[in-house]
Amino acid sequence: MICIGDYVRDNARRVPGRPALIEAAPVETGRRWTYAELDRQTDAIAAALIARGVEPGDRVGLLGQSSADWVRLFLGLVKAGGIAGFVHTKRHMSQPF
C-alpha cells in the first residue's frame, strides 16, 4: 500500500522538476511547487509537527479553507504519521457534516 506522502517522495525522485501543486482556488495566484519542492517543504512541516509532539496515529484537526498551504500542511501531517480531521471554515455550524 502506498501513502500519499510516499507518492510525493517517489515523484520527487523520478520527476523532480514536474509541477506537483498549482494554487488555483479561489483564484489563480501563480504559486506553483514542483515535486522536489513539495517533498522538501512537506518533510520540513512533518519535522516541525513531530518536534511539537505529533506522533504516528495522533488525530489532528485541520481548520481552514481550501488552499495550497492547506494541502502542504495535510501532506506534512501525513508524512508525520498523523491522521487529519477536516474542518472547513466556510461550513456554517448549523450545517450537518
Side-chain angles (χ1 to χ4, degrees):
M1 178 164 70
I2 189 166
C3 169
I4 193 166
D6 296 332
Y7 176 81
V8 171
R9 185 168 289 116
D10 290 346
N11 278 309
R13 289 185 188 121
R14 290 186 317 106
V15 288
R18 185 176 290 173
L21 179 62
I22 301 169
E23 189 165 56
V27 295
E28 176 74 36
T29 63
R31 293 194 318 165
R32 297 167 180 263
W33 292 263
T34 65
Y35 277 106
E37 293 166 334
L38 188 61
D39 188 46
R40 277 192 305 271
Q41 290 178 10
T42 55
D43 279 350
I45 291 167
L49 290 169
I50 291 167
R52 286 167 177 78
V54 173
E55 296 181 355
D58 281 356
R59 290 170 177 81
V60 178
L62 300 179
L63 175 67
Q65 296 179 13
S66 298
S67 70
D69 293 332
W70 189 92
V71 171
R72 292 167 44 232
L73 178 58
F74 168 74
L75 291 170
L77 175 61
V78 169
K79 285 183 169 186
I83 299 168
F86 307 112
V87 181
H88 196 283
T89 57
K90 288 194 175 185
R91 187 186 72 78
H92 189 272
M93 293 308 290
S94 66
Q95 294 174 311
F97 285 95

